[in-house]
Amino acid sequence: MPDPIVVQVVVDKPLSQGFDYLWDAKQLGALPQVGQIIEVPFGRGQEIAVVIKVSAHSDYQIDKIKYVDKVSPLPPLNLALLRLINFASQYYVHTLGETILPTIPQMWKKADSWKKNVDKINEARKKNPKAIGSQKEGFITAEQLNAEQKKALEALNNPSNSGTKFRTILLQGQTGSGKTAVFLNWISGILEEKDAQVLLLVPEINLTPQLERRVRAYFPDKIMAVLHSGVTEKKRGIAWYEAMTGKAQIILGTRLAALTPMPNLKAIVVDEEHDTSYKQQEGTRYSARDLAIWCAHDGQFPIVLSSATPSLETWIAAKAGRYEYIRLDQRAQGAKLPRVHLINTRDPRNQYSPGDQGAPKTKSLISKTLAQAISKNYQEQKQSLILINRRGYAPVLSCSSCNWLSKCSQCSSYMVMHKPGALGKRSVLNCHHCGLVKSIPQFCPDCGNADLKTLGQGTQKLEDSIEEMWPQARVLRVDADSSRKSKGAEELFQEIHDGNVDIVVGTQMIAKGHDYQNIGLVAVLDADARLYSADFRAAERLFAQLVQVAGRAGRAGAEGEDGGDIYIETQYPEAPVFQYLLRHDVDGFMAYIARERDEAKLPPFTYQGLVHAEAKSLEKAIGFLNELKARLKQHGMVPIDVYVYDPVPKTVMRVAGSERAQLVIESTNRKLLQEILENIDRDLRQQSQGRISKVSRIRWLVERDPIAI
Ligand code: ADP
Ligand code: ZN
Ligand code: ZN
């Protein structure tokens, strides 16, 4: 009797072991390969699985093992991807199956349609072999680059300071300095090698049709695969297939694209590398940027990290010479940098007094100084962009007699009042954490008083007050509510591009990516709300956002032309984050927060892990984490160099009826931190069904390198 063929596979379950199946060569054809996607009987049903090992033995009794059902016609996942996923699974303390299976698009998870899908795609390919158009929108050739950009491109092309093929390069330059034009030209050179593939990662919010067109314009004769959560499952499934079969040479996508099979990958660019959307916030909580660097190292090819405000980690590595450092210090088209103005809202000279000319009837968030600047900008026929990071009409409704507040019954947060039209025909209260919608009470639920008042302002209320203050101006609101309605976000952006709008009110969703041409003024109204927050990264994030926002002003100005103005309303103009912004001193700010973190021994000068716990009551969640901590101590599992904090409630403690707590674990020793996290995961999994503890029904999760504490 010939040796049996045994395949070991993983499935999408929190089980660390692989499962053995027999391979019937007569039925299934050729020998199985590692990385192959197959269907196996599992429990009472079927599961899609990935082959991780092929051998002639099993630790189980051969005649008890079941047979593989079906084999997909897809090529096996390539070995480089399997190595990457294996690393991600270990580092982020999640099982291999749970890390690998979610990277396969839904379209390829139904064995019945495998063949049909492949046939359809190949058929479509024959008819229309080139998926890319030939527009030349925003196309700047290597010859057209300015002197500074040319130097940057040369530095990218000439690895003079390193003999290795693996290079991590930070490309730092303010918004509008022409980074995109530089790295697209660099990619263009790499793609001259036949069949080479390049991955371009962008933040969630930046992957706009405008960017897609711009990338296409550079590579009219290449096939591009676009992968992000916004494309339909079908499109994503096709793009993934084009990438894994090597047909697509440009893979443009958000974080999930970092885990696409790309058998001939030769370079990676991570645009806006500091952006928090690169961190996956569920399942295997990976950082796509960090995985991309690992992948480049593993594959021995270069990776470019591009940003106007790099993450502190990256900036320090570049300063220390661990990364190559390329800078662009001028705006590509020669326009000046925007002027930054800090408006001290505590200073009465900046505010309207009653009876002032032009004072709005209702109290507005827009100070007198800002209003005057907007009027001037409007008269000069330039567009104004006004940002506030709170959508809805007002963040809370209150009773003037008993101080009742519109708390959400499910969460530890307030329900936001929305005007008619946003979420139905009438005004409603809506919780932005759990989505609960309620009608507006006529009377106070506690005391019966009919005089209910709104507190604070959101985008809708601001829109009203702007319409009141500039009755002639064409005002447009851009936020998740307005873009969900008839017109999608893209159409709203187009209105701005086409000059059909004078004043735009919106959340930060308007601040990213888009290359507007006629914005003379940008105002930020709620910077303070994000200045003093429990999260030690708050200032770093705020700074990055403000630089990003400022970059929208005077973007396309020609040589020596005005850079536009950015106004920031704040009660704390002396705060360092504003002072560095005033001087456009990105490096000064980075050095400042580096010192601060170093002194406080916070990341990146130490490393962190987190255990999340979610229960019906906070007491239970905290109790669960306290027990875990006690157990770790008792079993001598906490080395001297590792610090386990006390469990605490999360900032938004209650969401959708669950109460949430966390345990921070910290160490300057990465290896020890990794070990303790793995031990915790193993310990908790032993007493759990999946990741829910059997006794107390508490949902838990271990996270490495959390970005929000
Ligand atoms: P960044 O990525 O640094 O924000 P971009 O590459 O998007 O900068 O360039 C900003 C704007 O300047 C874009 O409209 C781009 O088309 C234009 N641009 C870039 N490089 C040049 C150049 N060398 N000559 C003229 N325009 C340029
Ligand atoms: Zn009341
Ligand atoms: Zn809620």
Side-chain angles (χ1 to χ4, degrees):
M1 210 173 116
D3 278 347
I5 305 171
V6 178
V7 294
Q8 194 173 73
V9 307
V10 287
V11 294
D12 193 358
K13 306 256 181 248
L15 303 162
S16 47
Q17 90 258 35
F19 296 89
D20 286 354
Y21 289 89
L22 285 170
W23 182 276
D24 180 352
K26 265 194 228 110
Q27 283 275 322
L28 303 172
L31 274 175
Q33 291 179 58
V34 168
Q36 225 158 12
I37 298 170
I38 59 175
E39 189 190 69
V40 295
F42 197 91
R44 258 167 273 155
Q46 267 89 33
E47 284 281 335
I48 298 296
V50 175
V51 177
I52 55 164
K53 201 172 140 193
V54 180
S55 72
H57 333 259
S58 173
D59 294 341
Y60 299 92
Q61 229 174 293
I62 289 287
D63 54 2
K64 295 256 166 73
I65 306 180
K66 292 182 183 157
Y67 278 91
V68 172
D69 275 342
K70 289 193 181 108
V71 187
S72 83
L74 295 166
L77 300 175
N78 59 310
L79 294 180
L81 178 77
L82 292 176
R83 283 195 299 273
L84 177 68
I85 291 183
N86 199 35
F87 166 75
S89 148
Q90 257 171 26
Y91 186 83
Y92 295 105
V93 202
H94 236 61
T95 68
L96 190 57
E98 285 172 298
T99 310
I100 220 169
L101 272 306
T103 69
I104 300 172
Q106 282 309 322
M107 174 175 169
W108 300 104
K109 289 218 182 107
K110 284 178 224 89
D112 289 341
S113 31
W114 275 337
K115 195 171 169 320
K116 195 181 72 207
N117 289 341
V118 170
D119 290 347
K120 263 195 190 155
I121 294 175
N122 290 337
E123 198 53 40
R125 243 188 219 163
K126 259 184 243 147
K127 276 194 218 129
N128 183 13
K130 269 177 201 147
I132 286 193
S134 60
Q135 284 159 315
K136 287 281 164 196
E137 179 180 313
F139 177 54
I140 288 154
T141 64
E143 290 69 44
Q144 288 167 320
L145 296 177
N146 66 33
E148 199 183 35
Q149 287 172 310
K150 278 195 178 131
K151 250 179 75 191
L153 182 61
E154 265 167 40
L156 285 177
N157 286 332
N158 296 315
S160 54
N161 49 348
S162 73
T164 59
K165 290 184 172 164
F166 165 63
R167 305 156 64 206
T168 310
I169 306 139
L170 169 59
L171 177 60
Q172 183 183 333
Q174 40 219 312
T175 45
S177 60
K179 299 183 291 299
T180 311
V182 169
F183 67 64
L184 288 178
N185 273 292
W186 177 64
I187 290 178
S188 172
I190 289 170
L191 289 178
E192 279 171 14
E193 182 187 324
K194 195 173 169 299
D195 296 333
Q197 292 181 304
V198 172
L199 170 65
L200 173 51
L201 289 176
V202 297
E204 198 68 60
I205 202 162
N206 285 33
L207 220 180
T208 58
Q210 195 194 18
L211 176 73
E212 211 181 305
R213 282 198 300 274
R214 188 169 172 195
V215 178
R216 278 185 199 281
Y218 273 78
F219 311 106
D221 52 356
K222 304 275 187 245
I223 291 181
M224 177 156 97
V226 181
L227 287 143
H228 64 102
S229 51
V231 300
T232 59
E233 270 304 331
K234 190 176 155 211
K235 277 202 178 142
R236 192 186 148 216
I238 296 173
W240 184 83
Y241 180 77
E242 299 286 32
M244 75 140 28
T245 52
K247 282 284 182 300
Q249 287 186 268
I250 300 153
I251 292 87
L252 170 65
T254 54
R255 65 171 177 268
L256 58 89
L259 295 171
T260 307
M262 294 165 282
N264 214 6
L265 190 59
K266 291 289 186 275
I268 303 179
V269 173
V270 185
D271 195 18
E272 309 287 356
E273 66 89 28
H274 64 281
D275 197 280
T276 51
S277 75
Y278 285 124
K279 183 85 197 285
Q280 168 75 10
Q281 293 294 9
E282 53 189 42
T284 308
R285 296 185 162 214
Y286 62 86
S287 153
R289 177 201 56 207
D290 295 351
L291 286 186
I293 296 173
W294 193 94
C295 177
H297 180 258
D298 180 61
Q300 290 296 300
F301 56 72
I303 175 167
V304 170
L305 309 176
S306 172
S307 178
T309 52
S311 64
L312 188 54
E313 287 80 349
T314 300
W315 185 83
I316 288 174
K319 277 272 164 193
R322 274 181 285 131
Y323 295 171
E324 286 174 50
Y325 202 175
I326 301 179
R327 314 262 314 211
L328 292 178
D329 288 318
Q330 279 137 29
R331 279 191 139 179
Q333 293 153 301
K336 295 201 183 77
L337 284 173
R339 284 176 297 271
V340 179
H341 310 263
L342 301 173
I343 300 176
N344 183 346
T345 50
R346 281 180 303 190
D347 185 340
R349 283 170 300 178
N350 287 326
Q351 299 294 359
Y352 284 108
S353 19
D356 264 1
Q357 242 251 320
K361 280 200 285 301
T362 44
K363 198 171 174 292
S364 168
L365 275 181
I366 296 178
S367 63
K368 181 167 136 189
T369 308
L370 176 57
Q372 286 165 346
I374 295 174
S375 293
K376 183 164 169 281
N377 193 53
Y378 173 54
Q379 275 153 21
E380 289 168 3
Q381 298 182 351
K382 284 185 279 189
Q383 293 170 306
S384 300
L385 210 67
I386 306 186
L387 285 135
I388 181 166
N389 240 353
R390 231 179 280 135
R391 71 192 163 84
Y393 186 75
V396 57
L397 190 66
S398 84
C399 165
S400 57
S401 140
C402 78
N403 292 329
W404 168 87
L405 294 168
S406 56
K407 274 205 174 112
C408 174
S409 55
Q410 305 275 336
C411 308
S412 55
S413 61
Y414 296 107
M415 296 192 82
V416 178
M417 185 175 149
H418 286 254
K419 280 210 310 188
L423 290 162
K425 285 211 179 71
R426 274 178 292 164
S427 284
V428 291
L429 290 173
N430 170 227
C431 171
H432 290 182
H433 289 282
C434 71
L436 188 69
V437 176
K438 277 189 170 167
S439 55
I440 307 258
Q442 298 285 311
F443 305 97
C444 169
D446 283 0
C447 76
N449 172 22
D451 187 21
L452 299 180
K453 285 198 168 70
T454 58
L455 296 179
Q457 304 200 12
T459 44
Q460 293 173 343
K461 194 164 181 182
L462 193 61
E463 182 186 17
D464 286 358
S465 76
I466 286 171
E467 277 171 349
E468 185 201 319
M469 291 165 83
W470 293 276
Q472 317 294 330
R474 296 162 299 173
V475 178
L476 177 74
R477 175 166 56 85
V478 182
D479 57 23
D481 295 324
S482 69
S483 60
R484 205 184 300 128
K485 282 195 302 177
S486 56
K487 295 182 178 178
E490 277 313 312
E491 272 177 73
L492 297 177
F493 294 140
Q494 198 55 49
E495 296 273 310
I496 307 173
H497 282 292
D498 293 347
N500 298 335
V501 186
D502 301 311
I503 304 177
V504 188
V505 183
T507 56
Q508 105 206 27
M509 86 185 250
I510 34 176
K512 292 210 180 172
H514 269 259
D515 201 2
Y516 304 115
Q517 299 295 310
N518 189 32
I519 291 178
L521 179 152
V522 177
V524 180
L525 302 189
D526 64 341
D528 288 351
R530 283 171 288 157
L531 187 56
Y532 296 104
S533 129
D535 194 322
F536 64 84
R537 288 186 181 87
E540 187 185 345
R541 304 247 160 90
L542 177 60
F543 186 79
Q545 273 175 13
L546 291 175
V547 169
Q548 181 77 250
V549 164
R552 299 309 107 189
R555 201 169 154 78
E559 184 70 37
E561 209 174 278
D562 193 43
D565 294 271
I566 166 163
Y567 288 84
I568 298 166
E569 289 194 341
T570 173
Q571 295 191 35
Y572 314 99
E574 67 288 347
V577 52
F578 300 133
Q579 290 299 318
Y580 284 106
L581 187 76
L582 202 59
R583 301 193 292 270
H584 297 285
D585 187 2
V586 175
D587 296 282
F589 178 72
M590 288 297 180
Y592 161 75
I593 52 168
R595 275 195 306 278
E596 221 183 40
R597 300 267 184 92
D598 193 9
E599 275 161 25
K601 281 284 156 280
L602 285 166
F605 300 96
T606 186
Y607 305 99
Q608 292 182 326
L610 209 57
V611 185
H612 303 261
E614 226 182 273
K616 279 274 163 268
S617 78
L618 183 65
E619 229 187 320
K620 275 185 145 185
I622 297 264
F624 174 81
L625 294 173
N626 264 326
E627 274 171 37
L628 170 68
K629 181 174 173 177
R631 219 163 39 241
L632 291 172
K633 295 245 159 182
Q634 195 191 341
H635 296 304
M637 277 157 68
V638 186
I640 298 174
D641 289 342
V642 173
Y643 188 75
V644 182
Y645 285 79
D646 282 331
V648 288
K650 293 205 183 227
T651 322
V652 182
M653 184 209 39
R654 219 165 108 84
V655 170
S658 284
E659 313 234 309
R660 312 180 308 160
Q662 66 186 30
L663 184 73
V664 177
I665 300 166
E666 210 171 79
S667 180
T668 50
N669 183 325
R670 307 183 77 167
K671 206 167 135 263
L672 290 179
L673 178 66
Q674 185 70 35
E675 268 169 33
I676 189 168
L677 294 179
E678 284 174 17
N679 285 335
I680 291 172
D681 186 64
R682 200 170 309 120
D683 171 275
L684 292 179
R685 252 180 316 117
Q686 266 161 18
Q687 41 174 298
S688 303
Q689 175 91 38
R691 283 195 182 75
I692 298 175
S693 83
K694 281 186 200 142
V695 187
S696 46
R697 311 303 303 159
I698 283 160
R699 187 182 286 278
W700 59 270
L701 187 84
V702 176
E703 176 172 13
R704 177 82 203 251
D705 301 343
I707 54 160
I709 289 280

